[in-house]
Amino acid sequence: NKLLDGTPPPLLCHTQVHQYRSTVLPHSSAPNIIGAYPVFGHRSTVVGYRPTDEHCLMRRMDSPCFCVVCMEQLWRRVLQR
């Protein structure tokens, strides 16, 4: 047990929230649309892309499920073992 041997438990020490700017072209809000939605860094530069807009548990904690892209990757990781 790590608590008994004096080793501290792992803690979340840093987090970043990335959001797209409002100047981005209008996006689709349909849950089954797959695309390349930009993710912006702290200086309004594109730091990556995500496959869906707002309909994925990886993006929004109030989403009911993962998008098909994330679900496929999760299955690949599970079945890889």
Side-chain angles (χ1 to χ4, degrees):
N1 189 345
K2 288 187 176 188
L3 293 177
L4 296 179
D5 68 1
T7 305
L11 299 173
L12 176 65
C13 299
H14 181 263
T15 185
Q16 287 183 341
V17 177
H18 298 282
Q19 176 67 335
Y20 54 84
R21 296 182 290 184
S22 60
T23 58
V24 174
L25 296 174
H27 53 277
S28 174
S29 62
N32 57 352
I33 300 294
I34 303 298
Y37 297 94
V39 176
F40 291 94
H42 68 283
R43 294 192 176 151
S44 295
T45 57
V46 176
V47 294
Y49 295 91
R50 62 181 184 278
T52 58
D53 185 25
E54 296 290 332
H55 300 284
C56 182
L57 191 55
M58 290 286 203
R59 172 80 173 145
R60 294 179 57 118
M61 294 302 291
D62 60 348
S63 181
C65 58
F66 293 107
C67 69
V68 294
V69 175
C70 291
M71 185 61 77
E72 178 70 21
Q73 186 61 23
L74 288 169
W75 274 114
R76 286 175 182 242
R77 293 263 174 113
V78 168
L79 295 176
Q80 189 177 39
R81 296 174 187 211

